[in-house]
Amino acid sequence: MISDTSRRSRPRIAVVGTVGIPANYGGFETLVENLTLHAAKHGLPCDVEVYCTATAYPSRPERHNGARLLYLPIKANGVWSVPYDILSLLWASWRRSDAILVLGVSGAIALPIVKLLSRAKLVVNIDGLEWKRAKWAPAPAAFLRWCEKVAVRFGDVIVADNQGIVDHVSQSYGRDAVDIAYGGDHASAASTLPAADMLGGDYALMLCRIEPENNVEMILEAFADVPGRRLVAVGNWSNSEHGRQLHKRFGNTPNITLSDPIYEAGALYRVRSCCSQYIHGHSAGGTNPSLVEMMSLGTPVLAFDCVYNRYTTEGKAAYFTDKKGLAQLLGEPVRSACGAEMAEIAMRRYTWDEIGRRYFELLLD
């Protein structure tokens, strides 16, 4: 009997660990969207299969960007991410995938089984030290840290999106990791329409999920103390008690505009392209997609001072550690040269052609 693998002339690459594509959720989904575009654009000699949650795609297209889409009837987020990722990995093994790109560590408990069932090369992106996020209680944080340990132990190649996480893998587990970040150049190509100031006048922009480790409260307090500077803050305010409390507290502050999430590419492009500064409060998670996207637009960046943001911006942004420090930066003139430096770094390090090339070199090796 001729095996499925021997009959195929092209390697089969599975991608697991995301909601799926078309991308409309977060950083990993945007990564997969652009990886499949890269494979199609360059005619790479492989068949890409992306595992998706059926609950997010009522129409369930069979293909997108040339990649085959396979659906599981399980949610991909929260506690459901663990069985979702496990089943995706087992299905990819059953389908005799030649390489599996694993995004995140939620399903890492299945990697030892995959090693027994499959000869697939396991390329694991361990994400941004998820277990460190303040939103997790001790038990789930401990579980995620254990998953990270299993992922590093059983992955054939470990990918980290920031040098700070590469250092963590080396120091904690004695393994090398490959540093591959995210592309951001799609942000500038999101609209062919001319930029139009939809919000009236000069403003700084904050764009993030409303979570404690993103220092949203610190940023809002700083702007409240500097009434001469305007902030447009875009986020999922209604998704948590933390967000609802902040919205109640700052929703009527004259120089602060709180906006719900913006997903439509053209509208998001307009809000981004018209701001004078980007305020980045993330303190965990490695290289953040929204940061490299704003860098690609040549926007001056004020970032929370942590190792991840320093690596991403090569130490050339302006940095703050507390409300007082941010308020002091807000009182200074906007340094346009910072935007030019951010754009130069982005074009050198954060283009999807470069990110796609590096991922497929690993997957097709």
Side-chain angles (χ1 to χ4, degrees):
M1 180 177 178
I2 301 175
S3 71
D4 177 58
T5 303
S6 63
R7 280 190 274 117
R8 294 201 309 266
S9 60
R10 292 157 57 94
R12 176 179 289 164
I13 296 175
V15 182
V16 306
T18 76
V19 170
I21 54 174
N24 57 13
Y25 183 74
F28 271 159
E29 286 73 26
T30 302
L31 170 64
V32 179
E33 180 85 25
N34 284 279
L35 289 181
T36 54
L37 282 170
H38 181 88
K41 174 183 174 182
H42 294 279
L44 297 185
C46 60
D47 296 318
V48 180
E49 299 185 340
V50 180
Y51 288 75
C52 312
T53 171
T55 61
Y57 299 99
S59 62
R60 299 176 196 172
E62 292 184 4
R63 290 190 175 270
H64 181 69
N65 296 339
R68 183 174 183 178
L69 308 183
L70 303 170
Y71 297 92
L72 291 88
I74 303 176
K75 292 182 179 180
N77 304 118
V79 296
W80 289 102
S81 66
V82 176
Y84 173 77
D85 287 0
I86 290 172
L87 289 175
S88 298
L89 281 164
L90 295 177
W91 193 4
S93 301
W94 180 80
R95 288 184 57 78
R96 299 180 182 272
S97 300
D98 298 289
I100 304 175
L101 175 59
V102 185
L103 298 173
V105 300
S106 295
I109 189 173
L111 293 182
I113 302 172
V114 173
K115 282 285 191 181
L116 292 173
L117 298 178
S118 168
R119 295 182 180 180
K121 181 179 184 179
L122 297 175
V123 177
V124 184
N125 183 323
I126 62 170
D127 202 4
L129 310 188
E130 181 72 16
W131 53 272
K132 282 191 172 184
R133 295 184 186 274
K135 66 181 180 180
W136 296 117
F143 173 74
L144 287 170
R145 187 166 191 179
W146 177 74
C147 287
E148 177 187 278
K149 183 177 182 179
V150 174
V152 173
R153 166 67 178 82
F154 289 95
D156 295 308
V157 179
I158 306 304
V159 174
D161 64 27
N162 187 284
Q163 184 62 43
I165 298 177
V166 172
D167 295 341
H168 163 75
V169 172
S170 175
Q171 294 161 9
S172 299
Y173 306 111
R175 281 203 66 177
D176 293 331
V178 180
D179 180 6
I180 309 179
Y182 297 102
D185 49 324
H186 64 285
S188 59
S191 176
T192 58
L193 299 174
D197 188 350
M198 307 297 288
L199 295 168
D202 176 64
Y203 61 91
L205 177 67
M206 181 192 78
L207 180 69
C208 67
R209 292 180 184 170
I210 309 305
E211 297 176 351
E213 64 267 18
N214 291 341
N215 289 301
V216 177
E217 184 173 17
M218 177 196 300
I219 294 169
L220 295 174
E221 288 178 343
F223 273 89
D225 289 346
V226 186
R229 293 300 309 278
R230 187 174 172 217
L231 173 70
V232 173
V234 180
N236 54 340
W237 303 98
S238 61
N239 282 27
S240 67
E241 184 59 28
H242 177 65
R244 289 188 289 270
Q245 287 297 323
L246 290 177
H247 196 284
K248 180 179 179 180
R249 180 179 168 192
F250 294 97
N252 294 319
T253 305
N255 65 318
I256 296 176
T257 301
L258 304 183
S259 169
D260 290 333
I262 300 172
Y263 298 113
E264 198 277 316
L268 185 58
Y269 170 77
R270 285 186 170 88
V271 171
R272 283 172 160 170
S273 63
C274 294
C275 70
S276 59
Q277 284 179 310
Y278 176 61
I279 315 298
H280 188 71
H282 295 60
S283 62
T287 297
N288 184 265
S290 65
L291 176 55
V292 298
E293 289 163 6
M294 293 304 298
M295 291 171 66
S296 295
L297 290 171
T299 307
V301 171
L302 277 60
F304 182 77
D305 196 354
C306 66
V307 63
Y308 308 118
N309 295 336
R310 286 269 181 179
Y311 276 126
T312 302
T313 60
E314 297 186 354
K316 295 180 180 178
Y319 303 96
F320 60 90
T321 57
D322 54 28
K323 176 183 71 172
K324 182 178 178 180
L326 176 55
Q328 183 175 339
L329 290 174
L330 294 175
E332 301 172 358
V334 175
R335 189 167 67 89
S336 58
C338 174
E341 291 170 335
M342 296 299 101
E344 187 280 325
I345 295 168
M347 290 307 297
R348 176 163 39 88
R349 293 175 55 188
Y350 305 126
T351 65
W352 282 116
D353 254 3
E354 174 64 11
I355 303 307
R357 179 188 66 80
R358 297 192 65 198
Y359 265 106
F360 281 105
E361 279 183 353
L362 294 177
L363 293 164
L364 293 174
D365 181 18

